[in-house]
Amino acid sequence: MVDAVVVGAGPNGLAAAVILARAGLAVEVHEAGETVGGGCRTAELTLPGYRHDVCAGAHPMAAASPFFRAFDLAAHGVELLAPEISYAHPLDGGGAGLAWRDLDRTVAGLGRDGAAWRRLFGPLVREWQELVALAMSDLRHPPLRAATGVRFGLRLLEQASPLWGMRFRDEVAPAMLTGIAAHAIIPPRAFSAAGVALLLGSLAHVDGWVIPRGGSQAIADALAAEIEKSGGRIVTGSRVDSLDEFRGARTILLDTAPAELLRLAGDRLPAGYAARLGRVRYGGAACKVDFALSGPVPWRAPGCASAGTLHVVGTRAEAVAAERAVAAGHHADRPYVLVVQPDVVDDTRAPQGGHTLYAYAHVPNGSTRDVSDTMIAQLERFAPGVRDLILARHVRTAAEMPFYNANYIGGDISAGAMTMRQTIFRPTPRWNPYSTPLPGVYLCSASTPPGPGVHGMSGLHAARHALHTRFGITEDPLALLRRTAPKAAP
């Protein structure tokens, strides 16, 4: 007999299980895969000794997340490595926009647009904790100071309107901003894309876009170890086919997409709620390619070799065209390619002299196309000779993504299209987005606020509701984490 069951061992499911276990409940986690982690796994995908992050590779939100800051990843043996340059945006002609962790250094590199970049991001960087509190809230009770809200809101309106280019005079800064916005896999001037750009752009100048030593799996393993230390049980290779398998549990938390909730609940859900879940839109997708290289990428632009993350697409206009093509269901001739170079800060990812390269291109949902050759062409455009360094590649098309993670419907790694409506009302319009009409059953995946990313906050919010409603425990989950967190080794 257990008090709580968590289905799915991604970052949110594991975060929920940690909180429930810290509250003294008997917790059991069921994961269909052979290892925990979901979108936070690391594996040898190409050649022996080359360790690749299977989904998430750089983690700006893990460094900033209230959950992970309270959990204290360092105290649990996770070393978050911060590249000097959070992200780079190469352009034709050998130039690039460089987002240093140091805001002043970034401003200096942007020439006559430097002052405009400071005016855009300076106030948000100074108030980053309030900004994160809003972005990672349940979007129903944002703990935000009014002044920060006004500053963020005005910038959001600007970047999601025809005024988005008025601030800058050259092409580098707009391209950089659009490259971040494209993380949302929707046209970059959408409200949610603009919000992503402002949040991630600010965090680039705080703790940076960190990379875990040894791979993203280190984060998942630390959470799993804490669950087991607190008396919880994790069962891998355990595919759940019905909620009826857990009739004895007082609460069930699902780190799953809405489509999985429909499958697990069968005909137990009210018809109206089930119909709304069935109408959830899944958005643009990713074709993921991992490369084993014989040497570092020969980027033409100075600085790119020191960046942990790169947005490889070209100008703002090219990024907009690529994302609009995907939104219309087409493959872009020159797609947006997101690249992570973990070896910039982590020497554990490949044998001596070798390098790993993480890359994904945006493609239409459900795409069966292997676009790795197109991606290599984009890389060659800004790093001539990279093709000759490729020892092996591993490709996972968008259509194959759900076989790795059932939450990635059609290859949508955001677990639901990041439209404005579906950002605020994930997965359906409901005051409590984590509860379901089934007593004691909650959703805690990226399909609920605050959405995608390795932050654990969807798990935290769902666990808070379950603790309060099912067990009468009203203590702040963050206080639970801080009170019992182990001390970091000296």
Side-chain angles (χ1 to χ4, degrees):
M1 298 293 293
V2 295
D3 296 312
V5 168
V6 177
V7 178
N12 284 309
L14 293 172
V18 165
I19 290 168
L20 296 170
R22 285 277 185 92
L25 304 183
V27 179
E28 194 168 87
V29 180
H30 287 261
E31 166 57 44
E34 296 303 320
T35 59
V36 300
C40 204
R41 291 190 182 117
T42 306
E44 291 185 346
L45 299 176
T46 55
L47 299 174
Y50 288 81
R51 292 180 55 75
H52 303 273
D53 288 324
V54 183
C55 188
H59 300 278
M61 288 193 281
S65 160
F67 170 81
F68 280 119
R69 293 179 78 85
F71 179 74
D72 193 348
L73 284 168
H76 289 81
V78 180
E79 187 178 359
L80 298 179
L81 307 170
E84 270 194 301
I85 298 172
S86 295
Y87 66 91
H89 194 114
L91 293 164
D92 292 315
L98 305 177
W100 299 84
R101 291 205 321 274
D102 183 342
L103 177 59
D104 291 338
R105 195 167 181 181
T106 305
V107 166
L110 287 174
R112 61 178 183 168
D113 277 340
W117 191 268
R118 187 190 300 280
R119 287 192 296 271
L120 179 65
F121 282 111
L124 300 181
V125 170
R126 288 194 297 273
E127 300 169 356
W128 71 269
Q129 289 178 306
E130 287 81 10
L131 176 62
V132 167
L134 168 64
M136 299 192 190
S137 72
D138 63 4
L139 305 183
R140 307 297 191 274
H141 310 86
L144 187 70
R145 291 194 302 118
T148 304
V150 169
R151 278 189 275 273
F152 177 73
L154 290 174
R155 286 160 173 77
L156 182 62
L157 288 172
E158 173 195 304
Q159 292 303 312
S161 78
L163 299 175
W164 76 328
M166 296 293 290
R167 185 180 290 266
F168 302 113
R169 291 178 287 175
D170 290 333
E171 68 171 4
V172 178
M176 291 172 65
L177 199 55
T178 309
I180 320 172
H183 280 238
I185 322 185
I186 55 174
R189 216 181 73 190
F191 269 96
S192 49
V196 167
L198 293 171
L199 173 64
L200 297 186
S202 299
L203 296 180
H205 304 306
V206 182
D207 291 319
W209 291 11
V210 297
I211 294 171
R213 182 178 292 281
S216 299
Q217 187 74 49
I219 296 175
D221 289 347
L223 293 170
E226 180 60 31
I227 293 165
E228 293 176 334
K229 176 183 174 183
S230 301
R233 178 171 177 253
I234 299 174
V235 186
T236 57
S238 174
R239 175 182 165 84
V240 176
D241 290 313
S242 172
L243 296 179
D244 292 338
E245 297 174 31
F246 307 116
R247 287 188 179 276
R250 293 175 63 184
T251 190
I252 302 171
L253 279 73
L254 304 174
D255 186 5
T256 69
E260 280 293 283
L261 171 56
L262 286 170
R263 183 182 71 85
L264 295 174
D267 59 2
R268 293 172 59 185
L269 289 172
Y273 181 77
R276 289 193 294 276
L277 288 184
R279 289 194 294 269
V280 170
R281 288 179 53 200
Y282 295 96
C287 176
K288 175 70 166 20
V289 183
D290 291 283
F291 298 98
L293 304 179
S294 61
V297 177
W299 299 105
R300 179 184 287 124
C304 287
S306 299
T309 301
L310 297 100
H311 304 136
V312 179
V313 67
T315 64
R316 164 173 274 187
E318 288 179 291
V320 170
E323 295 306 290
R324 284 179 175 168
V326 169
H330 307 302
H331 291 85
D333 293 331
R334 285 184 159 185
Y336 174 93
V337 180
L338 187 144
V339 173
V340 179
Q341 304 179 128
D343 306 79
V344 166
V345 288
D346 185 2
D347 60 3
T348 69
R349 301 297 188 95
Q352 187 172 7
H355 288 259
T356 60
L357 193 70
Y358 163 119
Y360 69 71
H362 292 170
V363 296
N365 193 280
S367 168
T368 60
R369 187 181 298 184
D370 173 356
V371 297
S372 58
D373 286 338
T374 306
M375 293 167 67
I376 292 170
Q378 281 285 69
L379 292 171
E380 278 280 332
R381 177 181 167 193
F382 303 104
V386 67
R387 187 189 309 273
D388 299 330
L389 301 176
I390 298 172
L391 302 174
R393 72 177 89 166
H394 175 275
V395 180
R396 182 173 280 120
T397 67
E400 293 168 337
M401 282 284 188
F403 297 103
Y404 159 70
N405 188 328
N407 289 358
Y408 298 159
I409 308 297
D412 177 2
I413 58 177
S414 298
M418 292 289 289
T419 62
M420 183 177 179
R421 182 178 184 274
Q422 283 197 173
T423 297
I424 298 173
F425 299 113
R426 298 173 76 85
T428 66
R430 192 176 178 87
W431 180 247
N432 183 342
Y434 312 99
S435 69
T436 75
L438 303 178
V441 178
Y442 299 85
L443 275 172
C444 69
S445 69
S447 297
T448 63
V454 178
H455 46 63
M457 292 301 293
S458 298
L460 180 146
H461 294 311
R464 174 188 281 119
H465 286 291
L467 286 173
H468 186 192
T469 304
R470 305 299 292 178
F471 301 95
I473 299 173
T474 58
E475 186 172 2
D476 181 357
L478 294 177
L480 279 171
L481 291 170
R482 294 190 187 99
R483 188 182 68 232
T484 55
K487 295 184 181 299

